Structures are given as C-alpha cells and as structure tokens.
Amino acid sequence: MQKVVLVIDTGGTFSMESVGSDRNQTLTVASPINVLEKLRHLSNKYLFWSGTLEAYCLEAARVRGCLNTEKLLRERVRGRLADAGGQSKHCWLYHPLETRIDSSAATPEEWRTIAKVIFENRDIFDAFVVIHGTDTLMYVSAGLSFLLPQSHLHKPVIVTGAQVPLLVLDAGDAANNFLGSLNFATWTSDTSEVSSSHSLKGVYAYFNTKLMRGTAVVKVDSQ
C-alpha cells in the first residue's frame, strides 16, 4: 500500500550547516531548500519522492469554489501517488516550521505547535516524521505521546534527529536516522499470520537503528 508521509522539520543539529573558514567554522540553521534537496537525494535511492506541503496548499487554494480544501488537498496528494506509474513508491512531503530552533531552547509551546500541525493534517497523511534536536528529543517524544494519544490519532509519528548535521557529513547518522524513520512510518505488516494489514500507531522515537516508544526515551551520550 502506498503511503503519504509529512516530514516536519523543527530544527536541531540535523538541520544545521557549517559556515565560516576552515579554522573558524560555526553551525547555523540551514536553508530549508538545502535540507530538502539533500533529503530528496537520499530518499530517491529508497523509492521515496517528495513535494512540499505549501505547494499542495497553494494548489488547493487556487481552485475557486472548492468548499472542502482538505478533501481537495488529499486528492492532489493521492494523484501524485498515481503518477508513480504503478511503482511501489511512497510519497513524503517536507514541512519546515516557520521558526526552527536549537532543541535546548524548546518549550512545551513548541511541542503544542508540532502536535497542532500533526492533528490538523491527520486526515491527509498516513504517517508523520518529526525532525528534532537531540537535547530535548526525549521530552518532545513524551510530550507528543500525551498530546496525541492513540485514541485520537491512529497513525505513526516517528521523532528523529542526529548528532551530526545532514549537510556537514555524508557518513554521519542523519541520513540513516531519516531513512529508518521513513521506513517505519510506511511499514505495514501483511503476512499470513495476520488477517489484515497492520501499521504502527502512536508516537515513537527512532535513533541509531532503534525504534523506541515515545515515553521510553533517554539520551545517554552526546558523542
């Protein structure tokens, strides 16, 4: 089954880039365009392709007389899946928050912003991946678990991050964490042992090949 995933970029080390001379380099929040292009390059190898949430919203808004913008947006997204030509591709869309920050500065207000984006788009997307800084990744994972209980959201939310920025080192952990999160977000169990297809539900954190419940995450090493 083809699925549509919303990738929400909140900032953190994952989305930073180095600036300055070789002897005096500092990290700063990278342009969303640079992050998106790098993610697209990575995910194309794994049969993912992408657009942006803003592009679909603008397209829906241009259609005059449409009373159900949400329905139209979903139809546009599904139409893009049909354009895959029968290939088993999943679609992911990149949505950088207006303000992307170092997660050490994150507060419950940022958690509520993330939860609101997810809840408002719950009927359009099949799953969500949240890119977040590692300093408070355990807190946002737990916070989202309570803000988005399974009784209200029957879909997977995978929170991930990186110790090394995606745009700084290709061999860093960002690429593997992102691709692993997408794989779990689109995972479906469809074997003879079960009567129907099953997908993950609820909030999880994915890091260093490990998938953990959102309420059971602890950062033990910053290296």
Side-chain angles (χ1 to χ4, degrees), residues 8-131:
I8 304 170
D9 185 357
T10 72
T13 299
F14 186 107
S15 302
M16 290 186 170
E17 60 185 353
S18 60
V19 296
S21 62
D22 293 339
R23 294 184 178 181
N24 189 27
Q25 288 191 343
T26 59
L27 290 177
T28 186
V29 178
S31 163
I33 295 176
N34 293 341
V35 176
L36 173 59
E37 287 306 311
K38 185 67 173 182
L39 293 178
R40 290 181 65 175
H41 173 73
L42 289 171
S43 61
N44 281 342
K45 299 177 181 178
Y46 289 78
L47 299 180
F48 289 89
W49 48 270
S50 68
T52 65
L53 179 60
E54 287 81 0
Y56 286 111
C57 288
L58 287 173
E59 184 178 4
R62 289 193 190 101
V63 181
R64 299 183 181 278
C66 178
L67 299 179
N68 192 338
T69 303
E70 180 181 284
K71 179 180 179 181
L72 180 62
L73 178 56
R74 186 171 181 83
E75 289 175 353
R76 291 291 189 271
V77 172
R78 294 300 172 185
R80 287 293 300 276
L81 279 178
D83 291 341
Q87 301 180 53
S88 298
K89 288 190 176 184
H90 300 293
C91 170
W92 60 268
L93 291 91
Y94 177 68
H95 178 60
L97 294 186
E98 184 175 350
T99 302
R100 292 178 296 147
I101 62 174
D102 186 312
S103 71
S104 62
T107 67
E109 187 60 36
E110 277 72 40
W111 309 347
R112 285 191 286 270
T113 297
I114 300 169
K116 182 180 179 181
V117 172
I118 294 172
F119 194 74
E120 289 180 345
N121 290 282
R122 66 191 184 282
D123 295 326
I124 299 173
F125 297 93
D126 301 301
F128 302 86
V129 169
V130 178
I131 296 173

